[in-house]
Amino acid sequence: MFGGSFDPVHRGHLAVAHQAVLQLALDQVLFVPARVQPLKTQGPSAGPEHRVAMLRAAIDGESAFVVDLRELARPAPSYTVDTLRELKLERPRDQLFLILGADAAWDLPRWHEASDVERLATLAVVRRPGAPVPPLPASTVTLALEPVDVSATAVRDATERGEVIDQLVPKAVAEYIAVHRLYR
Ligand code: ATP
């Protein structure tokens, strides 16, 4: 499971998901866009339909990647623990991993029912520029990946300034943002 705002999905997310498949031998990566992330001070800037459309465009042709809409179907806030419980019921024999950037991992102790999150899924943490990896349960795996210096905030800010964002997001996402005049 790879949850987030994906506002928008960017090259950092995709690099992380690819490495997770390779290093953890995953069958699937579920990209789970949140309705509202409980610990973010601001809600998403783009509506759920745009965030989903950009995710779909970004993962087109990637057979191991799936967009999972369950958190958008539930009322906010979007608690990861609820999603993991549902996934465990649906796939009782699967081993679940929760993919997290190091910045998000620092917040984990404050998550709703954090101890159940850690019980339901193996944490797979990724280093991120400016965010050291926090102390985590012994079962945590750390993905070996050169930190990718891209954030959705940087994409939104660059778009607002009228800059080219091709280095930050896949081509299809850059085109979608331009056509729909997002983040302006
Ligand atoms: P924002 O800048 O709006 O806060 P973001 O770039 O952190 O957004 P999210 O959709 O909030 O993107 O992130 C979802 C998950 O992906 C989080 O666990 C986050 O830590 C992780 N993530 C995002 N970008 C990167 C990156 N460049 N490297 C590693 N992990 C990342």
Side-chain angles (χ1 to χ4, degrees), residues 67-93:
V67 183
D68 184 306
L69 300 180
R70 72 185 69 223
E71 290 191 1
L72 297 176
R74 291 202 306 258
S78 307
Y79 292 128
T80 299
V81 72
D82 296 332
T83 303
L84 291 175
R85 283 195 184 115
E86 288 176 14
L87 290 171
K88 200 77 195 169
L89 281 175
E90 290 163 21
R91 305 158 178 246
R93 298 160 71 89

mmCIF file with all atom_site columns, all heavy atoms in Angstrom, residues 67-93:
data_model
loop_
_atom_site.group_PDB
_atom_site.id
_atom_site.type_symbol
_atom_site.label_atom_id
_atom_site.label_alt_id
_atom_site.label_comp_id
_atom_site.label_asym_id
_atom_site.label_entity_id
_atom_site.label_seq_id
_atom_site.pdbx_PDB_ins_code
_atom_site.Cartn_x
_atom_site.Cartn_y
_atom_site.Cartn_z
_atom_site.occupancy
_atom_site.B_iso_or_equiv
_atom_site.pdbx_formal_charge
_atom_site.auth_seq_id
_atom_site.auth_comp_id
_atom_site.auth_asym_id
_atom_site.auth_atom_id
_atom_site.pdbx_PDB_model_num
ATOM 1   N N   . VAL A 1 67 ? -4.474  1.879   -9.007  1.00 0.00 ? 67 VAL A N   1
ATOM 2   C CA  . VAL A 1 67 ? -5.029  2.983   -8.219  1.00 0.00 ? 67 VAL A CA  1
ATOM 3   C C   . VAL A 1 67 ? -6.219  2.432   -7.447  1.00 0.00 ? 67 VAL A C   1
ATOM 4   O O   . VAL A 1 67 ? -7.143  1.884   -8.048  1.00 0.00 ? 67 VAL A O   1
ATOM 5   C CB  . VAL A 1 67 ? -5.477  4.166   -9.107  1.00 0.00 ? 67 VAL A CB  1
ATOM 6   C CG1 . VAL A 1 67 ? -5.966  5.319   -8.240  1.00 0.00 ? 67 VAL A CG1 1
ATOM 7   C CG2 . VAL A 1 67 ? -4.351  4.628   -10.009 1.00 0.00 ? 67 VAL A CG2 1
ATOM 8   N N   . ASP A 1 68 ? -6.182  2.573   -6.139  1.00 0.00 ? 68 ASP A N   1
ATOM 9   C CA  . ASP A 1 68 ? -7.227  2.011   -5.282  1.00 0.00 ? 68 ASP A CA  1
ATOM 10  C C   . ASP A 1 68 ? -8.021  3.182   -4.684  1.00 0.00 ? 68 ASP A C   1
ATOM 11  O O   . ASP A 1 68 ? -7.468  4.023   -3.980  1.00 0.00 ? 68 ASP A O   1
ATOM 12  C CB  . ASP A 1 68 ? -6.554  1.179   -4.184  1.00 0.00 ? 68 ASP A CB  1
ATOM 13  C CG  . ASP A 1 68 ? -7.553  0.472   -3.284  1.00 0.00 ? 68 ASP A CG  1
ATOM 14  O OD1 . ASP A 1 68 ? -8.427  1.175   -2.738  1.00 0.00 ? 68 ASP A OD1 1
ATOM 15  O OD2 . ASP A 1 68 ? -7.453  -0.751  -3.117  1.00 0.00 ? 68 ASP A OD2 1
ATOM 16  N N   . LEU A 1 69 ? -9.322  3.204   -4.975  1.00 0.00 ? 69 LEU A N   1
ATOM 17  C CA  . LEU A 1 69 ? -10.125 4.403   -4.667  1.00 0.00 ? 69 LEU A CA  1
ATOM 18  C C   . LEU A 1 69 ? -10.838 4.347   -3.319  1.00 0.00 ? 69 LEU A C   1
ATOM 19  O O   . LEU A 1 69 ? -11.648 5.221   -3.019  1.00 0.00 ? 69 LEU A O   1
ATOM 20  C CB  . LEU A 1 69 ? -11.159 4.609   -5.784  1.00 0.00 ? 69 LEU A CB  1
ATOM 21  C CG  . LEU A 1 69 ? -10.574 4.803   -7.185  1.00 0.00 ? 69 LEU A CG  1
ATOM 22  C CD1 . LEU A 1 69 ? -11.685 5.007   -8.197  1.00 0.00 ? 69 LEU A CD1 1
ATOM 23  C CD2 . LEU A 1 69 ? -9.609  5.980   -7.204  1.00 0.00 ? 69 LEU A CD2 1
ATOM 24  N N   . ARG A 1 70 ? -10.530 3.371   -2.503  1.00 0.00 ? 70 ARG A N   1
ATOM 25  C CA  . ARG A 1 70 ? -11.376 3.164   -1.310  1.00 0.00 ? 70 ARG A CA  1
ATOM 26  C C   . ARG A 1 70 ? -11.365 4.348   -0.342  1.00 0.00 ? 70 ARG A C   1
ATOM 27  O O   . ARG A 1 70 ? -12.376 4.617   0.298   1.00 0.00 ? 70 ARG A O   1
ATOM 28  C CB  . ARG A 1 70 ? -11.000 1.873   -0.605  1.00 0.00 ? 70 ARG A CB  1
ATOM 29  C CG  . ARG A 1 70 ? -9.691  1.905   0.116   1.00 0.00 ? 70 ARG A CG  1
ATOM 30  C CD  . ARG A 1 70 ? -9.343  0.554   0.684   1.00 0.00 ? 70 ARG A CD  1
ATOM 31  N NE  . ARG A 1 70 ? -9.031  -0.414  -0.346  1.00 0.00 ? 70 ARG A NE  1
ATOM 32  C CZ  . ARG A 1 70 ? -9.465  -1.679  -0.337  1.00 0.00 ? 70 ARG A CZ  1
ATOM 33  N NH1 . ARG A 1 70 ? -10.197 -2.116  0.645   1.00 0.00 ? 70 ARG A NH1 1
ATOM 34  N NH2 . ARG A 1 70 ? -9.117  -2.498  -1.291  1.00 0.00 ? 70 ARG A NH2 1
ATOM 35  N N   . GLU A 1 71 ? -10.252 5.053   -0.213  1.00 0.00 ? 71 GLU A N   1
ATOM 36  C CA  . GLU A 1 71 ? -10.247 6.158   0.758   1.00 0.00 ? 71 GLU A CA  1
ATOM 37  C C   . GLU A 1 71 ? -11.064 7.346   0.261   1.00 0.00 ? 71 GLU A C   1
ATOM 38  O O   . GLU A 1 71 ? -11.587 8.124   1.055   1.00 0.00 ? 71 GLU A O   1
ATOM 39  C CB  . GLU A 1 71 ? -8.814  6.576   1.098   1.00 0.00 ? 71 GLU A CB  1
ATOM 40  C CG  . GLU A 1 71 ? -8.103  5.510   1.909   1.00 0.00 ? 71 GLU A CG  1
ATOM 41  C CD  . GLU A 1 71 ? -6.774  5.939   2.519   1.00 0.00 ? 71 GLU A CD  1
ATOM 42  O OE1 . GLU A 1 71 ? -6.364  7.099   2.336   1.00 0.00 ? 71 GLU A OE1 1
ATOM 43  O OE2 . GLU A 1 71 ? -6.152  5.084   3.176   1.00 0.00 ? 71 GLU A OE2 1
ATOM 44  N N   . LEU A 1 72 ? -11.198 7.458   -1.054  1.00 0.00 ? 72 LEU A N   1
ATOM 45  C CA  . LEU A 1 72 ? -12.043 8.536   -1.593  1.00 0.00 ? 72 LEU A CA  1
ATOM 46  C C   . LEU A 1 72 ? -13.512 8.199   -1.395  1.00 0.00 ? 72 LEU A C   1
ATOM 47  O O   . LEU A 1 72 ? -14.352 9.091   -1.298  1.00 0.00 ? 72 LEU A O   1
ATOM 48  C CB  . LEU A 1 72 ? -11.740 8.755   -3.077  1.00 0.00 ? 72 LEU A CB  1
ATOM 49  C CG  . LEU A 1 72 ? -10.311 9.211   -3.373  1.00 0.00 ? 72 LEU A CG  1
ATOM 50  C CD1 . LEU A 1 72 ? -10.079 9.298   -4.871  1.00 0.00 ? 72 LEU A CD1 1
ATOM 51  C CD2 . LEU A 1 72 ? -10.020 10.552  -2.708  1.00 0.00 ? 72 LEU A CD2 1
ATOM 52  N N   . ALA A 1 73 ? -13.813 6.908   -1.313  1.00 0.00 ? 73 ALA A N   1
ATOM 53  C CA  . ALA A 1 73 ? -15.203 6.477   -1.140  1.00 0.00 ? 73 ALA A CA  1
ATOM 54  C C   . ALA A 1 73 ? -15.647 6.598   0.318   1.00 0.00 ? 73 ALA A C   1
ATOM 55  O O   . ALA A 1 73 ? -16.838 6.666   0.598   1.00 0.00 ? 73 ALA A O   1
ATOM 56  C CB  . ALA A 1 73 ? -15.350 5.034   -1.620  1.00 0.00 ? 73 ALA A CB  1
ATOM 57  N N   . ARG A 1 74 ? -14.681 6.626   1.243   1.00 0.00 ? 74 ARG A N   1
ATOM 58  C CA  . ARG A 1 74 ? -15.027 6.740   2.666   1.00 0.00 ? 74 ARG A CA  1
ATOM 59  C C   . ARG A 1 74 ? -15.074 8.197   3.064   1.00 0.00 ? 74 ARG A C   1
ATOM 60  O O   . ARG A 1 74 ? -14.401 9.032   2.465   1.00 0.00 ? 74 ARG A O   1
ATOM 61  C CB  . ARG A 1 74 ? -13.941 6.048   3.535   1.00 0.00 ? 74 ARG A CB  1
ATOM 62  C CG  . ARG A 1 74 ? -13.878 4.552   3.431   1.00 0.00 ? 74 ARG A CG  1
ATOM 63  C CD  . ARG A 1 74 ? -13.195 3.959   4.670   1.00 0.00 ? 74 ARG A CD  1
ATOM 64  N NE  . ARG A 1 74 ? -11.900 4.507   4.977   1.00 0.00 ? 74 ARG A NE  1
ATOM 65  C CZ  . ARG A 1 74 ? -10.738 3.893   4.707   1.00 0.00 ? 74 ARG A CZ  1
ATOM 66  N NH1 . ARG A 1 74 ? -10.723 2.724   4.131   1.00 0.00 ? 74 ARG A NH1 1
ATOM 67  N NH2 . ARG A 1 74 ? -9.604  4.462   5.033   1.00 0.00 ? 74 ARG A NH2 1
ATOM 68  N N   . PRO A 1 75 ? -15.851 8.518   4.126   1.00 0.00 ? 75 PRO A N   1
ATOM 69  C CA  . PRO A 1 75 ? -15.811 9.904   4.601   1.00 0.00 ? 75 PRO A CA  1
ATOM 70  C C   . PRO A 1 75 ? -14.416 10.244  5.140   1.00 0.00 ? 75 PRO A C   1
ATOM 71  O O   . PRO A 1 75 ? -13.715 9.350   5.615   1.00 0.00 ? 75 PRO A O   1
ATOM 72  C CB  . PRO A 1 75 ? -16.845 9.934   5.734   1.00 0.00 ? 75 PRO A CB  1
ATOM 73  C CG  . PRO A 1 75 ? -17.495 8.596   5.781   1.00 0.00 ? 75 PRO A CG  1
ATOM 74  C CD  . PRO A 1 75 ? -16.751 7.654   4.902   1.00 0.00 ? 75 PRO A CD  1
ATOM 75  N N   . ALA A 1 76 ? -14.023 11.516  5.061   1.00 0.00 ? 76 ALA A N   1
ATOM 76  C CA  . ALA A 1 76 ? -12.748 11.957  5.627   1.00 0.00 ? 76 ALA A CA  1
ATOM 77  C C   . ALA A 1 76 ? -12.857 11.897  7.155   1.00 0.00 ? 76 ALA A C   1
ATOM 78  O O   . ALA A 1 76 ? -13.979 11.949  7.678   1.00 0.00 ? 76 ALA A O   1
ATOM 79  C CB  . ALA A 1 76 ? -12.441 13.370  5.173   1.00 0.00 ? 76 ALA A CB  1
ATOM 80  N N   . PRO A 1 77 ? -11.747 11.848  7.906   1.00 0.00 ? 77 PRO A N   1
ATOM 81  C CA  . PRO A 1 77 ? -10.375 11.736  7.416   1.00 0.00 ? 77 PRO A CA  1
ATOM 82  C C   . PRO A 1 77 ? -10.039 10.321  6.995   1.00 0.00 ? 77 PRO A C   1
ATOM 83  O O   . PRO A 1 77 ? -10.736 9.379   7.349   1.00 0.00 ? 77 PRO A O   1
ATOM 84  C CB  . PRO A 1 77 ? -9.550  12.155  8.646   1.00 0.00 ? 77 PRO A CB  1
ATOM 85  C CG  . PRO A 1 77 ? -10.394 11.769  9.820   1.00 0.00 ? 77 PRO A CG  1
ATOM 86  C CD  . PRO A 1 77 ? -11.825 11.962  9.386   1.00 0.00 ? 77 PRO A CD  1
ATOM 87  N N   . SER A 1 78 ? -8.967  10.191  6.213   1.00 0.00 ? 78 SER A N   1
ATOM 88  C CA  . SER A 1 78 ? -8.580  8.891   5.652   1.00 0.00 ? 78 SER A CA  1
ATOM 89  C C   . SER A 1 78 ? -7.544  8.246   6.569   1.00 0.00 ? 78 SER A C   1
ATOM 90  O O   . SER A 1 78 ? -6.399  8.660   6.603   1.00 0.00 ? 78 SER A O   1
ATOM 91  C CB  . SER A 1 78 ? -7.970  9.096   4.270   1.00 0.00 ? 78 SER A CB  1
ATOM 92  O OG  . SER A 1 78 ? -8.836  9.856   3.457   1.00 0.00 ? 78 SER A OG  1
ATOM 93  N N   . TYR A 1 79 ? -7.972  7.263   7.323   1.00 0.00 ? 79 TYR A N   1
ATOM 94  C CA  . TYR A 1 79 ? -7.047  6.588   8.228   1.00 0.00 ? 79 TYR A CA  1
ATOM 95  C C   . TYR A 1 79 ? -6.468  5.351   7.553   1.00 0.00 ? 79 TYR A C   1
ATOM 96  O O   . TYR A 1 79 ? -7.203  4.458   7.114   1.00 0.00 ? 79 TYR A O   1
ATOM 97  C CB  . TYR A 1 79 ? -7.751  6.175   9.522   1.00 0.00 ? 79 TYR A CB  1
ATOM 98  C CG  . TYR A 1 79 ? -8.168  7.331   10.397  1.00 0.00 ? 79 TYR A CG  1
ATOM 99  C CD1 . TYR A 1 79 ? -9.472  7.448   10.873  1.00 0.00 ? 79 TYR A CD1 1
ATOM 100 C CD2 . TYR A 1 79 ? -7.238  8.305   10.776  1.00 0.00 ? 79 TYR A CD2 1
ATOM 101 C CE1 . TYR A 1 79 ? -9.850  8.499   11.684  1.00 0.00 ? 79 TYR A CE1 1
ATOM 102 C CE2 . TYR A 1 79 ? -7.610  9.364   11.588  1.00 0.00 ? 79 TYR A CE2 1
ATOM 103 C CZ  . TYR A 1 79 ? -8.913  9.460   12.039  1.00 0.00 ? 79 TYR A CZ  1
ATOM 104 O OH  . TYR A 1 79 ? -9.283  10.504  12.842  1.00 0.00 ? 79 TYR A OH  1
ATOM 105 N N   . THR A 1 80 ? -5.147  5.282   7.529   1.00 0.00 ? 80 THR A N   1
ATOM 106 C CA  . THR A 1 80 ? -4.452  4.137   6.925   1.00 0.00 ? 80 THR A CA  1
ATOM 107 C C   . THR A 1 80 ? -4.846  2.840   7.613   1.00 0.00 ? 80 THR A C   1
ATOM 108 O O   . THR A 1 80 ? -4.974  1.795   6.963   1.00 0.00 ? 80 THR A O   1
ATOM 109 C CB  . THR A 1 80 ? -2.931  4.370   7.022   1.00 0.00 ? 80 THR A CB  1
ATOM 110 O OG1 . THR A 1 80 ? -2.626  5.551   6.291   1.00 0.00 ? 80 THR A OG1 1
ATOM 111 C CG2 . THR A 1 80 ? -2.145  3.203   6.465   1.00 0.00 ? 80 THR A CG2 1
ATOM 112 N N   . VAL A 1 81 ? -5.046  2.889   8.924   1.00 0.00 ? 81 VAL A N   1
ATOM 113 C CA  . VAL A 1 81 ? -5.367  1.657   9.636   1.00 0.00 ? 81 VAL A CA  1
ATOM 114 C C   . VAL A 1 81 ? -6.657  1.027   9.094   1.00 0.00 ? 81 VAL A C   1
ATOM 115 O O   . VAL A 1 81 ? -6.760  -0.199  8.975   1.00 0.00 ? 81 VAL A O   1
ATOM 116 C CB  . VAL A 1 81 ? -5.437  1.913   11.171  1.00 0.00 ? 81 VAL A CB  1
ATOM 117 C CG1 . VAL A 1 81 ? -6.681  2.713   11.561  1.00 0.00 ? 81 VAL A CG1 1
ATOM 118 C CG2 . VAL A 1 81 ? -5.351  0.614   11.936  1.00 0.00 ? 81 VAL A CG2 1
ATOM 119 N N   . ASP A 1 82 ? -7.641  1.846   8.729   1.00 0.00 ? 82 ASP A N   1
ATOM 120 C CA  . ASP A 1 82 ? -8.893  1.308   8.180   1.00 0.00 ? 82 ASP A CA  1
ATOM 121 C C   . ASP A 1 82 ? -8.630  0.621   6.834   1.00 0.00 ? 82 ASP A C   1
ATOM 122 O O   . ASP A 1 82 ? -9.186  -0.441  6.537   1.00 0.00 ? 82 ASP A O   1
ATOM 123 C CB  . ASP A 1 82 ? -9.924  2.429   7.980   1.00 0.00 ? 82 ASP A CB  1
ATOM 124 C CG  . ASP A 1 82 ? -10.330 3.071   9.301   1.00 0.00 ? 82 ASP A CG  1
ATOM 125 O OD1 . ASP A 1 82 ? -10.276 2.372   10.336  1.00 0.00 ? 82 ASP A OD1 1
ATOM 126 O OD2 . ASP A 1 82 ? -10.695 4.261   9.293   1.00 0.00 ? 82 ASP A OD2 1
ATOM 127 N N   . THR A 1 83 ? -7.806  1.243   6.027   1.00 0.00 ? 83 THR A N   1
ATOM 128 C CA  . THR A 1 83 ? -7.481  0.672   4.710   1.00 0.00 ? 83 THR A CA  1
ATOM 129 C C   . THR A 1 83 ? -6.740  -0.648  4.872   1.00 0.00 ? 83 THR A C   1
ATOM 130 O O   . THR A 1 83 ? -7.046  -1.633  4.195   1.00 0.00 ? 83 THR A O   1
ATOM 131 C CB  . THR A 1 83 ? -6.628  1.682   3.915   1.00 0.00 ? 83 THR A CB  1
ATOM 132 O OG1 . THR A 1 83 ? -7.379  2.893   3.830   1.00 0.00 ? 83 THR A OG1 1
ATOM 133 C CG2 . THR A 1 83 ? -6.288  1.181   2.532   1.00 0.00 ? 83 THR A CG2 1
ATOM 134 N N   . LEU A 1 84 ? -5.779  -0.683  5.793   1.00 0.00 ? 84 LEU A N   1
ATOM 135 C CA  . LEU A 1 84 ? -5.024  -1.926  6.000   1.00 0.00 ? 84 LEU A CA  1
ATOM 136 C C   . LEU A 1 84 ? -5.938  -3.031  6.519   1.00 0.00 ? 84 LEU A C   1
ATOM 137 O O   . LEU A 1 84 ? -5.815  -4.186  6.113   1.00 0.00 ? 84 LEU A O   1
ATOM 138 C CB  . LEU A 1 84 ? -3.864  -1.691  6.969   1.00 0.00 ? 84 LEU A CB  1
ATOM 139 C CG  . LEU A 1 84 ? -2.727  -0.810  6.431   1.00 0.00 ? 84 LEU A CG  1
ATOM 140 C CD1 . LEU A 1 84 ? -1.705  -0.543  7.532   1.00 0.00 ? 84 LEU A CD1 1
ATOM 141 C CD2 . LEU A 1 84 ? -2.037  -1.467  5.235   1.00 0.00 ? 84 LEU A CD2 1
ATOM 142 N N   . ARG A 1 85 ? -6.868  -2.681  7.401   1.00 0.00 ? 85 ARG A N   1
ATOM 143 C CA  . ARG A 1 85 ? -7.798  -3.714  7.910   1.00 0.00 ? 85 ARG A CA  1
ATOM 144 C C   . ARG A 1 85 ? -8.630  -4.282  6.781   1.00 0.00 ? 85 ARG A C   1
ATOM 145 O O   . ARG A 1 85 ? -8.827  -5.492  6.685   1.00 0.00 ? 85 ARG A O   1
ATOM 146 C CB  . ARG A 1 85 ? -8.731  -3.098  8.969   1.00 0.00 ? 85 ARG A CB  1
ATOM 147 C CG  . ARG A 1 85 ? -8.047  -2.916  10.291  1.00 0.00 ? 85 ARG A CG  1
ATOM 148 C CD  . ARG A 1 85 ? -9.063  -2.671  11.424  1.00 0.00 ? 85 ARG A CD  1
ATOM 149 N NE  . ARG A 1 85 ? -8.315  -2.420  12.636  1.00 0.00 ? 85 ARG A NE  1
ATOM 150 C CZ  . ARG A 1 85 ? -8.307  -1.259  13.298  1.00 0.00 ? 85 ARG A CZ  1
ATOM 151 N NH1 . ARG A 1 85 ? -9.055  -0.246  12.891  1.00 0.00 ? 85 ARG A NH1 1
ATOM 152 N NH2 . ARG A 1 85 ? -7.575  -1.121  14.378  1.00 0.00 ? 85 ARG A NH2 1
ATOM 153 N N   . GLU A 1 86 ? -9.117  -3.410  5.896   1.00 0.00 ? 86 GLU A N   1
ATOM 154 C CA  . GLU A 1 86 ? -9.912  -3.886  4.759   1.00 0.00 ? 86 GLU A CA  1
ATOM 155 C C   . GLU A 1 86 ? -9.072  -4.782  3.855   1.00 0.00 ? 86 GLU A C   1
ATOM 156 O O   . GLU A 1 86 ? -9.519  -5.843  3.428   1.00 0.00 ? 86 GLU A O   1
ATOM 157 C CB  . GLU A 1 86 ? -10.440 -2.698  3.949   1.00 0.00 ? 86 GLU A CB  1
ATOM 158 C CG  . GLU A 1 86 ? -11.539 -1.917  4.652   1.00 0.00 ? 86 GLU A CG  1
ATOM 159 C CD  . GLU A 1 86 ? -11.975 -0.687  3.854   1.00 0.00 ? 86 GLU A CD  1
ATOM 160 O OE1 . GLU A 1 86 ? -11.635 -0.578  2.654   1.00 0.00 ? 86 GLU A OE1 1
ATOM 161 O OE2 . GLU A 1 86 ? -12.639 0.173   4.455   1.00 0.00 ? 86 GLU A OE2 1
ATOM 162 N N   . LEU A 1 87 ? -7.850  -4.358  3.579   1.00 0.00 ? 87 LEU A N   1
ATOM 163 C CA  . LEU A 1 87 ? -6.987  -5.144  2.682   1.00 0.00 ? 87 LEU A CA  1
ATOM 164 C C   . LEU A 1 87 ? -6.689  -6.516  3.288   1.00 0.00 ? 87 LEU A C   1
ATOM 165 O O   . LEU A 1 87 ? -6.657  -7.520  2.586   1.00 0.00 ? 87 LEU A O   1
ATOM 166 C CB  . LEU A 1 87 ? -5.680  -4.393  2.409   1.00 0.00 ? 87 LEU A CB  1
ATOM 167 C CG  . LEU A 1 87 ? -5.814  -3.147  1.544   1.00 0.00 ? 87 LEU A CG  1
ATOM 168 C CD1 . LEU A 1 87 ? -4.500  -2.368  1.520   1.00 0.00 ? 87 LEU A CD1 1
ATOM 169 C CD2 . LEU A 1 87 ? -6.204  -3.527  0.109   1.00 0.00 ? 87 LEU A CD2 1
ATOM 170 N N   . LYS A 1 88 ? -6.484  -6.543  4.595   1.00 0.00 ? 88 LYS A N   1
ATOM 171 C CA  . LYS A 1 88 ? -6.176  -7.805  5.275   1.00 0.00 ? 88 LYS A CA  1
ATOM 172 C C   . LYS A 1 88 ? -7.366  -8.770  5.172   1.00 0.00 ? 88 LYS A C   1
ATOM 173 O O   . LYS A 1 88 ? -7.183  -9.974  4.971   1.00 0.00 ? 88 LYS A O   1
ATOM 174 C CB  . LYS A 1 88 ? -5.851  -7.509  6.739   1.00 0.00 ? 88 LYS A CB  1
ATOM 175 C CG  . LYS A 1 88 ? -5.082  -8.573  7.434   1.00 0.00 ? 88 LYS A CG  1
ATOM 176 C CD  . LYS A 1 88 ? -3.623  -8.510  7.019   1.00 0.00 ? 88 LYS A CD  1
ATOM 177 C CE  . LYS A 1 88 ? -2.870  -9.763  7.408   1.00 0.00 ? 88 LYS A CE  1
ATOM 178 N NZ  . LYS A 1 88 ? -1.549  -9.829  6.801   1.00 0.00 ? 88 LYS A NZ  1
ATOM 179 N N   . LEU A 1 89 ? -8.575  -8.228  5.279   1.00 0.00 ? 89 LEU A N   1
ATOM 180 C CA  . LEU A 1 89 ? -9.764  -9.074  5.151   1.00 0.00 ? 89 LEU A CA  1
ATOM 181 C C   . LEU A 1 89 ? -9.906  -9.605  3.728   1.00 0.00 ? 89 LEU A C   1
ATOM 182 O O   . LEU A 1 89 ? -10.265 -10.767 3.512   1.00 0.00 ? 89 LEU A O   1
ATOM 183 C CB  . LEU A 1 89 ? -11.021 -8.275  5.509   1.00 0.00 ? 89 LEU A CB  1
ATOM 184 C CG  . LEU A 1 89 ? -11.312 -8.091  6.998   1.00 0.00 ? 89 LEU A CG  1
ATOM 185 C CD1 . LEU A 1 89 ? -12.527 -7.174  7.173   1.00 0.00 ? 89 LEU A CD1 1
ATOM 186 C CD2 . LEU A 1 89 ? -11.566 -9.443  7.658   1.00 0.00 ? 89 LEU A CD2 1
ATOM 187 N N   . GLU A 1 90 ? -9.608  -8.739  2.762   1.00 0.00 ? 90 GLU A N   1
ATOM 188 C CA  . GLU A 1 90 ? -9.767  -9.136  1.361   1.00 0.00 ? 90 GLU A CA  1
ATOM 189 C C   . GLU A 1 90 ? -8.684  -10.108 0.908   1.00 0.00 ? 90 GLU A C   1
ATOM 190 O O   . GLU A 1 90 ? -8.892  -10.901 0.004   1.00 0.00 ? 90 GLU A O   1
ATOM 191 C CB  . GLU A 1 90 ? -9.683  -7.893  0.460   1.00 0.00 ? 90 GLU A CB  1
ATOM 192 C CG  . GLU A 1 90 ? -10.879 -6.989  0.609   1.00 0.00 ? 90 GLU A CG  1
ATOM 193 C CD  . GLU A 1 90 ? -10.586 -5.594  0.045   1.00 0.00 ? 90 GLU A CD  1
ATOM 194 O OE1 . GLU A 1 90 ? -9.671  -5.437  -0.787  1.00 0.00 ? 90 GLU A OE1 1
ATOM 195 O OE2 . GLU A 1 90 ? -11.278 -4.647  0.476   1.00 0.00 ? 90 GLU A OE2 1
ATOM 196 N N   . ARG A 1 91 ? -7.489  -9.988  1.517   1.00 0.00 ? 91 ARG A N   1
ATOM 197 C CA  . ARG A 1 91 ? -6.330  -10.767 1.041   1.00 0.00 ? 91 ARG A CA  1
ATOM 198 C C   . ARG A 1 91 ? -5.638  -11.378 2.251   1.00 0.00 ? 91 ARG A C   1
ATOM 199 O O   . ARG A 1 91 ? -4.499  -11.009 2.573   1.00 0.00 ? 91 ARG A O   1
ATOM 200 C CB  . ARG A 1 91 ? -5.325  -9.830  0.370   1.00 0.00 ? 91 ARG A CB  1
ATOM 201 C CG  . ARG A 1 91 ? -5.886  -8.980  -0.744  1.00 0.00 ? 91 ARG A CG  1
ATOM 202 C CD  . ARG A 1 91 ? -4.996  -7.746  -0.949  1.00 0.00 ? 91 ARG A CD  1
ATOM 203 N NE  . ARG A 1 91 ? -5.473  -6.946  -2.037  1.00 0.00 ? 91 ARG A NE  1
ATOM 204 C CZ  . ARG A 1 91 ? -4.811  -6.760  -3.189  1.00 0.00 ? 91 ARG A CZ  1
ATOM 205 N NH1 . ARG A 1 91 ? -3.629  -7.272  -3.381  1.00 0.00 ? 91 ARG A NH1 1
ATOM 206 N NH2 . ARG A 1 91 ? -5.335  -6.018  -4.138  1.00 0.00 ? 91 ARG A NH2 1
ATOM 207 N N   . PRO A 1 92 ? -6.335  -12.297 2.948   1.00 0.00 ? 92 PRO A N   1
ATOM 208 C CA  . PRO A 1 92 ? -5.801  -12.780 4.226   1.00 0.00 ? 92 PRO A CA  1
ATOM 209 C C   . PRO A 1 92 ? -4.433  -13.454 4.104   1.00 0.00 ? 92 PRO A C   1
ATOM 210 O O   . PRO A 1 92 ? -3.684  -13.483 5.063   1.00 0.00 ? 92 PRO A O   1
ATOM 211 C CB  . PRO A 1 92 ? -6.869  -13.781 4.709   1.00 0.00 ? 92 PRO A CB  1
ATOM 212 C CG  . PRO A 1 92 ? -7.761  -14.053 3.553   1.00 0.00 ? 92 PRO A CG  1
ATOM 213 C CD  . PRO A 1 92 ? -7.633  -12.914 2.606   1.00 0.00 ? 92 PRO A CD  1
ATOM 214 N N   . ARG A 1 93 ? -4.093  -13.965 2.936   1.00 0.00 ? 93 ARG A N   1
ATOM 215 C CA  . ARG A 1 93 ? -2.822  -14.684 2.807   1.00 0.00 ? 93 ARG A CA  1
ATOM 216 C C   . ARG A 1 93 ? -1.678  -13.784 2.348   1.00 0.00 ? 93 ARG A C   1
ATOM 217 O O   . ARG A 1 93 ? -0.529  -14.208 2.296   1.00 0.00 ? 93 ARG A O   1
ATOM 218 C CB  . ARG A 1 93 ? -2.986  -15.844 1.815   1.00 0.00 ? 93 ARG A CB  1
ATOM 219 C CG  . ARG A 1 93 ? -4.005  -16.857 2.290   1.00 0.00 ? 93 ARG A CG  1
ATOM 220 C CD  . ARG A 1 93 ? -4.501  -17.679 1.124   1.00 0.00 ? 93 ARG A CD  1
ATOM 221 N NE  . ARG A 1 93 ? -3.466  -18.585 0.641   1.00 0.00 ? 93 ARG A NE  1
ATOM 222 C CZ  . ARG A 1 93 ? -3.285  -19.813 1.108   1.00 0.00 ? 93 ARG A CZ  1
ATOM 223 N NH1 . ARG A 1 93 ? -4.078  -20.286 2.037   1.00 0.00 ? 93 ARG A NH1 1
ATOM 224 N NH2 . ARG A 1 93 ? -2.333  -20.562 0.642   1.00 0.00 ? 93 ARG A NH2 1
#
